[in-house]
C-alpha cells in the first residue's frame, strides 16, 4: 500500500552507522560548525583547517567505499550517516548534519540535502534539487499480503524514485516509492507524494495534489493521475486572470438539502474572493496619495500597504495592480530607518519623525518585500550578545502579559530571520534564543507564561506569536506538542471568545496555528482538532462581505467596536490565512488554490539553519 509509513524496523542498523559515522575528536565533526547545518556556508566561510578536515573526511570515505564519487566542492557533513552501497554526489552538492542516506543514492550538481533528511533505496536526482529539513524520500515499501505473518518478516518491494532538475522539496515532505518528480516542480512542506509529479507543477497536501503551475504546460492543461485539477490560472506570478469570475454562494447547505460538500464550499469561496479582489483593492486605495488604507474613511498606514501586497499574492499571485511593483519595492525599502525600525505614516502619506515604530512593521514590511522578491535594506535591531539576548528575553513580562512577551520574542526571532542569511547577525544569537526557550517552557502546558497568574487568552495568543517567529519560521519542532494541544483545546472551549458572534481574527488565528503546528508532530486528539476546525471554518466562510472582504471581528462581536466589525484589508489578509490553516487541519487546503507565503507563511525559511 503506497501510502503506508515506510520506515523500516531494522533499528539496529539505523542506530549503528558503519560508514560515514562521526569522526574522532580533533576531526571535522568534533565540534559542529555552522556549515554542518547550513552546508551552503562552507565555500565562503570555512577556515583552511576546516577545508583540510573535510578533504580528509572525503578521502577516508572513498578509501572505505571505492565505488563512491564525491564531486568538486561538494560538502558531506561528518555528522551525516551514510550507509550507501553506491553514492554519487555532484559538484557543489551538500549533505547536512544528521542526514541519513542508504542503498543507492545519486544527486547531480548544486543539490542540497538538509539536516535530518532521510534518503533510502534507489534514488536518483538531477541538477539543482533542494531538499528541506526532515524530509523523507523512501524508495522501498513493506508488503503485507499475509495477515498471519508479522509485517517486518514479509518481503520489501522497491521500484525507485527519480527527481528531475531544478526541484524544490519543502521541509517534512514524504516521497514514496515508485514516483517520478518532474523538472522545475515544487513539493510543498509536509506533502505526502504518492503519484508522479508533472514538470513545472506545484503540489501539496496529503496525499499531494496539484496546487498550481510554476511552469504551465504547453497545450491543453493535463495532470498526473491522482493529483487533481490545477488551481486557478491567476495563481503564480503570471498575471493571468482567474478562469472563473462569477460570485459563488458559500453558505452551508440548509437542513434537509443535499449532503454538505466542504471541498465545494472552499472552492466556491476561493472563486468568489478572486472574482472580487480587484473591487476590494480599489475600495481601499487612496488615489490622491497613491497609498492603501485599511478601508474607506481611515488613514493610510504602513500595514495597509503590506496587507494589500499579501492579499494580491494570495488571490492573484502577483503584486497589487494599483502600483508598479518596482515602485512598491522602492517605497517599502525607503521606509526603514538605518536603525532598523519603520515609523508610521502621517495622514498625508509622509512618515513620522524619529526612528521609533511598532515592532509589527518590521514583520509586515519584511514579508511584503519577500513576496515582491526584495528584502529590508538595513539590519533589524539585533546587535546583541548572546548573554544580552537571554537577559532581554528573561525580562519580558511572562507572568503578567505573555502576549506581550511572545510579541517581543517574535520580533527578535524575525530580526534574526532577516539578518542571518545576509551575514548581518551571528548564529550564536539564534542558539541562545532557542536554548532559553527550551529551558523555560512549561512541560505541563507546553506554554511560556503562567496560566495561574493571567488570563489564558494572553498565554495562548502569546504562544502563537512566539512560535510563529521561532519554531515555525526556523523549521524546528515545538516542545511538548501533546501538552500544547491540550492547553489550546481547553482554551478554545471558552465561550467568551469562540462562539460565532464573539470571534475575531487574532483569537481564532492564535488557536488555529498552534493546533496546526503541534498537530504536525503528533496525532494526539486529532478527531477533536478536526471537529473544531470544521466548526470554525464554517463560521468564517459565512462572514465574507461582497466586494470588501472580511472584517477583523465577527458581525455580532459588539465588544470589538464599530471599526472591528467593518471589512478591510487587515481582516481580509488575516482571515484568508486562517481559513487556509483551518482547511489544512481538515485535509482540504488544496481546494482553496492559494497558500500563505507572507507574514502567516506555512513553510519554514529555506535559508535558516534547522
Amino acid at each position: 500500500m503506497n501510502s503506508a509509513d515506510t520506515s523500516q524496523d531494522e533499528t539496529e542498523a539505523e542506530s549503528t552507522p558503519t560508514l560515514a559515522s562521526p569522526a574522532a575528536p580533533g576531526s571535522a565533526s568534533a565540534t559542529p560548525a555552522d556549515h554542518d547545518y547550513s552546508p551552503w556556508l562552507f565555500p565562503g566561510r570555512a577556515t583552511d583547517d576546516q577545508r583540510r578536515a573535510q578533504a580528509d573526511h572525503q578521502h577516508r570515505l572513498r578509501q572505505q567505499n571505492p565505488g563512491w564519487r564525491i564531486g568538486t566542492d561538494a560538502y558531506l557533513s561528518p555528522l551525516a550517516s551514510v550507509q550507501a552501497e553506491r553514492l554519487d554526489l555532484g559538484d557543489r552538492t551538500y549533505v547536512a548534519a544528521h542526514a541519513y542516506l542508504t542503498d543507492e543514492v545519486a544527486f547531480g550538481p548544486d543539490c542540497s540535502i538538509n539536516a535530518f533528511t532521510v534518503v533510502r533505496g534507489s534514488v536518483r536526482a538531477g541538477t539543482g534539487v533542494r531538499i528541506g529539513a526532515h524530509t523523507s524520500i523512501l524508495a522501498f515499501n513493506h508488503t503485507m499480503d499475509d495477515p498471519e505473518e508479522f509485517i517486518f518478516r514479509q518481503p520489501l518491494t522497491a521500484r525507485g524514485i527519480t527527481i528531475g532538475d531544478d526541484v524544490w522539496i519543502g521541509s517534512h515532505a514524504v516521497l514514496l516509492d515508485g514516483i517520478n518528480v518532474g523538472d522545475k516542480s515544487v513539493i510543498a512542506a509536509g506533502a505526502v507524494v504518492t503519484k508522479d509529479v508533472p514538470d513545472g507543477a506545484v503540489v501539496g497536501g496529503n496525499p499531494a495534489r496539484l496546487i498550481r503551475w510554476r511552469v504551465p504546460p504547453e497545450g491543453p492543461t493535463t495532470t498526473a493521475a491522482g493529483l487533481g485539477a490545477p488551481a486557478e490560472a491567476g495563481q503564480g506570478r503570471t498575471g493571468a486572470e482567474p478562469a472563473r469570475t462569477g460570485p459563488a454562494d458559500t453558505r452551508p447547505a440548509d437542513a434537509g438539502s443535499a449532503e454538505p460538500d466542504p471541498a465545494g464550499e472552499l472552492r466556491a469561496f476561493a472563486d468568489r474572493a478572486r472574482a472580487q479582489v480587484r473591487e476590494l483593492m480599489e475600495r481601499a486605495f487612496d488615489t490622491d496619495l497613491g497609498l492603501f488604507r485599511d478601508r474607506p474613511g481611515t488613514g493610510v498606514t504602513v500595514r495597509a500597504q503590506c496587507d494589500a501586497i499579501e492579499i494580491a499574492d494570495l488571490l492573484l499571485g502577483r503584486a497589487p495592480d494599483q502600483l508598479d511593483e518596482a515602485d512598491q519595492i522602492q517605497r517599502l525599502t525607503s521606509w526603514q530607518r538605518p536603525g532598523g525600525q519603520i515609523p508610521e505614516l502621517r495622514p498625508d502619506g509622509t512618515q513620522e519623525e524619529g526612528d521609533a515604530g511598532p515592532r509589527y512593521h518590521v514583520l509586515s514590511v519584511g514579508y511584503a518585500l519577500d513576496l515582491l522578491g526584495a528584502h529590508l535594506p538595513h539590519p533589524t535591531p539585533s546587535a546583541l550578545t548572546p548573554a544580552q539576548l537571554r537577559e532581554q528575553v528573561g525580562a519580558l513580562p511572562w507572568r503578567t502579559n505573555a502576549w506581550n512577551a511572545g510579541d517581543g520574542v517574535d520580533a527578535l526571532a524575525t530580526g534574526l530571520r532577516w539578518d542571518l542569511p545576509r551575514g548581518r547577525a551571528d548564529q550564536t544569537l539564534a542558539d541562545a534564543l532557542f536554548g532559553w526557550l527550551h529551558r523555560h517552557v512549561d512541560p505541563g502546558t507546553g506554554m511560556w507564561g503562567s496560566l495561574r497568574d493571567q488570563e489564558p487568552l494572553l498565554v495562548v495568543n502569546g504562544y502563537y506569536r512566539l512560535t510563529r517567529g521561532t519554531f515555525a519560521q526556523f523549521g524546528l519542532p515545538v516542545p511538548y506538542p501533546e501538552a500544547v494541544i491540550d492547553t489550546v483545546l481547553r482554551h478554545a472551549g471558552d465561550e467568551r471568545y469562540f462562539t460565532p458572534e464573539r470571534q475575531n481574527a487574532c483569537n481564532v488565528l492564535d488557536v488555529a496555528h498552534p493546533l496546526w503546528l503541534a498537530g504536525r508532530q503528533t496525532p494526539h486528539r486529532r478527531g477533536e482538532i478536526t471537529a473544531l476546525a470544521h466548526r470554525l471554518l464554517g463560521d468564517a466562510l459565512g462572514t465574507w462581505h461582497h466586494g470588501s472582504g472580511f472584517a477583523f471581528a465577527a458581525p455580532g462581536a459588539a465588544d470589538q467596536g464599530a471599526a472591528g466589525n467593518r471589512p478591510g484589508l487587515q481582516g481580509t489578509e488575516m482571515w484568508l490565512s486562517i481559513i487556509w490553516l483551518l482547511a489544512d487541519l481538515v485535509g482540504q487546503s488544496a481546494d482553496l488554490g492559494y497558500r500563505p507565503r507572507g507574514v502567516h507563511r506555512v513553510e519554514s525559511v529555506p535559508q535558516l539553519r534547522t
Side-chain angles (χ1 to χ4, degrees):
M1 187 168 66
N2 211 29
S3 61
D5 180 4
T6 58
S7 58
Q8 288 203 54
D9 296 292
E10 292 79 17
T11 54
E12 293 182 8
E14 292 177 356
S15 62
T16 313
T18 57
L19 296 177
S21 54
S27 70
S29 66
T31 302
D34 285 353
H35 49 253
D36 281 307
Y37 294 90
S38 301
W40 53 89
L41 299 178
F42 185 80
R45 294 193 185 178
T47 65
D48 290 341
D49 287 345
Q50 289 171 330
R51 294 178 195 279
R52 282 192 293 271
Q54 175 64 196
D56 291 344
H57 178 57
Q58 293 186 16
H59 178 70
R60 284 193 301 272
L61 294 177
R62 283 191 290 263
Q63 283 186 320
Q64 296 168 5
N65 305 275
W68 286 14
R69 189 189 78 84
I70 304 175
T72 303
D73 295 327
Y75 180 80
L76 177 55
S77 171
L79 299 178
S81 176
V82 184
Q83 302 178 21
E85 297 174 14
R86 294 177 56 190
L87 179 69
D88 190 340
L89 300 179
D91 297 345
R92 301 172 303 283
T93 285
Y94 310 131
V95 179
H98 307 298
Y100 179 35
L101 282 60
T102 71
D103 305 302
E104 299 181 358
V105 176
F107 278 75
D110 298 306
C111 297
S112 63
I113 302 170
N114 273 300
F116 298 97
T117 291
V118 175
V119 183
R120 307 195 66 186
S122 178
V123 178
R124 300 187 63 83
T127 299
V129 175
R130 317 299 279 197
I131 303 172
H134 298 276
T135 288
S136 295
I137 301 175
L138 304 169
F140 61 87
N141 215 333
H142 286 279
T143 59
M144 47 185 168
D145 298 331
D146 185 354
E148 304 301 321
E149 184 60 271
F150 287 108
I151 289 175
F152 76 89
R153 290 177 176 161
Q154 297 189 47
L156 296 176
T157 61
R159 292 182 289 168
I161 293 174
T162 301
I163 303 170
D165 298 331
D166 187 22
V167 174
W168 178 21
I169 302 173
S171 297
H172 293 276
V174 178
L175 281 64
L176 298 181
D177 188 33
I179 64 169
N180 295 303
V181 179
D183 296 341
K184 297 188 177 299
S185 58
V186 177
I187 296 173
V192 179
V193 185
T194 63
K195 304 287 185 181
D196 288 352
V197 177
D199 292 350
V202 179
V203 304
N206 180 8
R209 297 182 60 185
L210 183 62
I211 297 172
R212 62 175 180 260
W213 294 103
R214 178 188 175 205
V215 181
E218 296 180 2
T221 300
T222 59
T223 65
L227 283 178
E232 303 303 334
Q235 298 300 299
R237 293 190 173 273
T238 63
E241 296 294 317
R244 291 172 288 185
T245 58
D249 188 0
T250 62
R251 294 171 296 177
D254 293 330
S257 65
E259 285 294 315
D261 177 15
E265 290 178 23
L266 289 170
R267 288 192 294 269
F269 160 75
D271 287 348
R272 185 183 190 186
R274 289 191 189 95
Q276 298 175 24
V277 65
R278 291 170 182 79
E279 181 181 355
L280 182 158
M281 303 288 270
E282 284 294 330
R283 172 180 180 267
F285 191 66
D286 186 325
T287 55
D288 293 332
L289 296 178
L291 290 164
F292 287 98
R293 58 205 172 182
D294 184 68
R295 61 189 180 278
T298 61
V300 295
T301 62
V302 169
R303 177 165 183 164
Q305 318 315 305
C306 304
D307 286 337
I309 290 168
E310 298 239 14
I311 293 166
D313 184 80
L314 286 165
L315 298 179
L316 298 174
R318 61 177 184 267
D321 295 333
Q322 282 73 16
L323 292 170
D324 181 75
E325 184 170 309
D327 291 340
Q328 295 183 61
I329 292 172
Q330 190 280 328
R331 173 179 285 165
L332 292 176
T333 54
S334 72
W335 286 344
Q336 190 189 26
R337 299 286 195 256
Q341 298 291 357
I342 302 173
E344 187 54 274
L345 302 182
R346 298 189 183 98
D348 65 357
T350 62
Q351 267 190 298
E352 295 176 353
E353 297 292 336
D355 293 331
R359 290 188 293 211
Y360 196 81
H361 281 178
V362 176
L363 277 68
S364 57
V365 172
Y367 281 106
L369 286 168
D370 254 6
L371 296 175
L372 298 175
H375 58 80
L376 291 167
H378 304 296
T380 56
S382 56
L384 302 169
T385 67
Q388 289 171 332
L389 183 145
R390 287 189 290 265
E391 181 179 359
Q392 182 172 321
V393 173
L396 293 170
W398 298 105
R399 292 183 64 85
T400 58
N401 191 337
W403 182 91
N404 183 278
D407 175 61
V409 170
D410 191 5
L412 279 172
T414 302
L416 294 173
R417 175 258 185 273
W418 306 129
D419 295 341
L420 278 172
R422 298 180 178 92
R424 304 192 301 206
D426 192 274
Q427 179 65 42
T428 57
L429 292 176
D431 296 339
L433 177 59
F434 282 100
W436 191 97
L437 294 174
H438 277 287
R439 286 192 299 273
H440 290 84
V441 63
D442 183 346
T445 65
M447 301 282 118
W448 290 267
S450 171
L451 286 167
R452 295 185 299 274
D453 300 325
Q454 58 193 304
E455 171 69 35
L457 177 75
L458 293 175
V459 179
V460 173
N461 288 19
Y463 179 90
Y464 160 69
R465 289 298 304 273
L466 183 153
T467 54
R468 187 218 71 82
T470 55
F471 294 91
Q473 192 160 229
F474 282 67
L476 296 171
V478 297
Y480 310 109
E482 290 83 3
V484 171
I485 289 170
D486 291 340
T487 300
V488 175
L489 285 177
R490 188 180 308 115
H491 172 59
D494 192 331
E495 293 183 355
R496 294 176 299 167
Y497 306 116
F498 295 103
T499 55
E501 70 279 5
R502 292 184 176 272
Q503 294 168 13
N504 69 39
C506 276
N507 293 343
V508 177
L509 171 65
D510 297 358
V511 163
H513 190 274
L515 291 176
W516 176 83
L517 188 62
R520 298 170 72 188
Q521 297 174 222
T522 174
H524 183 61
R525 300 179 72 176
R526 180 67 52 80
E528 293 171 72
I529 294 172
T530 301
L532 174 64
H534 270 298
R535 178 173 70 81
L536 294 174
L537 191 58
D539 294 341
L541 291 177
T543 61
W544 175 270
H545 296 253
H546 183 91
S548 52
F550 288 109
F552 174 80
D559 56 339
Q560 301 297 325
N565 300 132
R566 294 174 182 169
L569 296 183
Q570 178 183 348
T572 301
E573 185 277 324
M574 292 186 72
W575 281 107
L576 286 173
S577 299
I578 293 165
I579 286 169
W580 189 95
L581 288 166
L582 295 171
D584 205 55
L585 283 171
V586 301
Q588 294 176 321
S589 58
D591 292 300
L592 291 167
Y594 67 78
R595 190 176 183 88
R597 302 193 311 125
V599 71
H600 299 116
R601 64 181 294 144
V602 292
E603 278 87 26
S604 59
V605 180
Q607 301 96 329
L608 296 178
R609 192 179 87 180
T610 54

